[in-house]
Amino acid sequence: MRRFPSHRPIIGLTVVTVAAALGLTACGSSKSSSGSGTSAGGSKLIVIVTPSPDNVFFKAEQQAADAEAKRLGYTTLVLSHDDDPTKQSQAIDTAISRKAAAIILDNAGADSTVTALQKAGNAKIPSFLIDREINSTGVAKAQIVSNNSQGATLGAQEFAKDMGQSGEYFELTGKETDTNAGVRSKGYHSVLDQFPKMKMVAQQSANWDQTEALQKVQTMLQAHPNVKGIIAGNDTMALGAWAALQAAKKTNVIVTGFDGSPDVVSSVLKDGIKATVLQPAAKISQMAVDQADKYIKTGSTGQPEKQSVDCVLVNKDNAAKVSNFALGS
C-alpha cells in the first residue's frame, strides 16, 4: 500500500533500527511457562516489523500491535524495514537471534519475503502477516489483509458517481511488487470499465509515493488538460495528485484515494479530495496479535491462513466519524 509522511513523533513505541537491534541479546526466559504471553520455549517477546512509521498507516499498525501484545503480557521489539527486503531479512534474523515467540509482519515484497519467513519457521518462530499477502501459503500462520477487491469496488463506484459516469480520468497505481496494487487496480476496473463514457487516458505507477505522484500528475496534466478525475491506489498518491491539481489551479478535478488516512479524511471534510476507502489497520494488527497469542498457547489460530477484513467507503457523509483508521458510531 502503500502513503504519505508524518512528522509527528511516535508515542508509546520504541522503534529500534535494524542495525541496532542486531546487537541486542536474547531476552526470553529459557524456562517453559504456561503463563499468559509465554511460548512453549519460554519467550515472551513479539517482534513487530512494518514499513516506515513515517507513514501514518504503518504507524497505526505498529501502535495497535504493540499495545495489544503488551496487554496480553508480552514484551515487544518494533522494527522498520522501509520496504527494503534486505532490511526485512535482517529484522527477521534479529527475531530469530532473540528467540522471539512470534513475528507480526507487514512485508516488503510478495516474493522476496518467503525465504526469510521460511527461515523463521525453521527456527520454530511463527509469523503472522498483516496488510500485505505473500505469494505462498503454508509459510505464515496467518495472512490478514483488508479486502482490497471489495474496497476498490466501493471506491470505484463512488468515483464513477462523482464523475457522472463520464469523462477522462487518470489512474495512479502502487508498487508492482505489492500484491495490493494489482488487486486494487483490477477492482477499480471491474467497475469503471462498465461505463463506456468514462475513458482512462493515462495510467502510471507512482510506487505509493506522494512526491512521485505529484510529478506524474503534473506530466499527465500537460498531455491531458481536460481530465475530469484521478483515482489513486492509496491515499499517499491521492495527496500527491491533489497537490499537483492545486498547483495547476484545477481543483475541480475529482480525486479518490484508498486507506482512510487522517490527512485525506481531513481533505474530504474540506471539499478537497472527494473520497477514500478506509482500511481497518488497527483492527487487523490486533487480530494478528490475538491469533499469535492463541497459536503460542494452543498450537493453532483456529482460523484459516488467509483472512480478509472488509473496507469502508469514506466520503463527506461520514468522514467526521473517522479517527485513526477506524469509523466510529
Side-chain angles (χ1 to χ4, degrees):
M1 334 200 104
R2 199 141 140 208
R3 303 162 173 118
F4 62 94
S6 169
H7 301 291
R8 291 171 290 181
I10 297 174
I11 300 172
L13 284 178
T14 301
V15 179
V16 184
T17 63
V18 172
L22 289 171
L24 296 173
T25 58
C27 70
S29 168
S30 60
K31 295 176 63 178
S32 177
S33 170
S34 59
S36 175
T38 306
S39 71
S43 176
K44 295 182 66 176
L45 174 68
I46 288 183
V47 176
I48 301 161
V49 188
T50 74
S52 172
D54 284 349
N55 181 309
V56 292
F57 182 88
F58 302 125
K59 177 180 174 181
E61 286 184 335
Q62 287 187 349
Q63 289 179 324
D66 181 72
E68 184 69 358
K70 288 176 178 174
R71 186 186 72 81
L72 293 170
Y74 294 90
T75 58
T76 62
L77 176 63
V78 182
L79 305 172
S80 301
H81 57 57
D82 300 326
D83 278 315
D84 182 338
T86 299
K87 288 184 179 181
Q88 176 177 263
S89 293
Q90 292 171 339
I92 291 172
D93 285 343
T94 297
I96 294 170
S97 70
R98 295 283 300 267
K99 296 181 173 58
I103 297 169
I104 308 296
L105 173 67
D106 190 339
N107 74 78
D111 292 313
S112 59
T113 300
V114 175
T115 300
L117 291 187
Q118 287 173 333
K119 186 176 180 181
N122 291 338
K124 308 299 182 186
I125 300 174
S127 299
F128 302 82
L129 305 188
I130 55 176
D131 183 39
R132 303 169 179 173
E133 296 176 308
I134 56 172
N135 291 332
S136 182
T137 57
V139 178
K141 301 304 177 186
Q143 300 191 51
I144 310 172
V145 300
S146 298
N147 189 337
N148 284 280
S149 180
Q150 172 260 353
T153 298
L154 289 177
Q157 289 170 340
E158 185 75 359
F159 182 67
K161 183 185 78 173
D162 290 340
M163 291 269 294
Q165 301 178 0
S166 68
E168 297 181 352
Y169 72 93
F170 303 154
E171 182 187 5
L172 294 171
T173 62
K175 289 186 182 229
E176 293 182 2
T177 56
D178 188 337
T179 305
N180 290 345
V183 172
R184 291 177 194 173
S185 182
K186 185 176 180 181
Y188 286 158
H189 286 279
S190 71
V191 174
L192 300 180
D193 293 352
Q194 297 179 40
F195 300 107
K197 293 183 180 180
M198 291 187 70
K199 181 181 179 182
M200 183 176 70
V201 293
Q203 179 190 52
Q204 290 194 42
S205 171
N207 294 301
W208 306 129
D209 184 75
Q210 182 171 344
T211 300
E212 187 171 346
L214 185 152
Q215 294 168 345
K216 293 283 178 70
V217 170
Q218 286 177 329
T219 301
M220 291 176 180
L221 287 172
Q222 291 175 5
H224 304 283
N226 296 321
V227 68
K228 188 176 176 181
I230 302 173
I231 191 164
N234 78 341
D235 279 351
T236 312
M237 297 186 297
L239 286 165
W242 184 245
L245 292 169
Q246 288 178 308
K249 302 189 185 313
K250 290 181 176 289
T251 53
N252 60 322
V253 174
I254 293 151
V255 178
T256 294
F258 197 117
D259 278 340
S261 64
D263 282 0
V264 168
V265 171
S266 176
S267 181
V268 170
L269 288 169
K270 297 174 182 176
D271 291 318
I273 293 172
K274 294 298 182 187
T276 182
V277 176
L278 173 69
Q279 295 194 86
K283 179 179 179 180
I284 287 172
S285 296
Q286 290 165 354
M287 288 173 62
V289 173
D290 290 343
Q291 290 181 30
D293 177 56
K294 184 171 182 180
Y295 183 86
I296 290 165
K297 293 173 179 175
T298 70
S300 171
T301 66
Q303 301 291 332
E305 178 182 335
K306 291 211 171 187
Q307 304 162 53
S308 66
V309 180
D310 280 351
C311 301
V312 178
L313 177 72
V314 176
N315 56 23
K316 199 167 184 182
D317 293 338
N318 63 355
K321 298 178 181 178
V322 175
S323 176
N324 198 28
F325 299 93
L327 180 65
S329 57

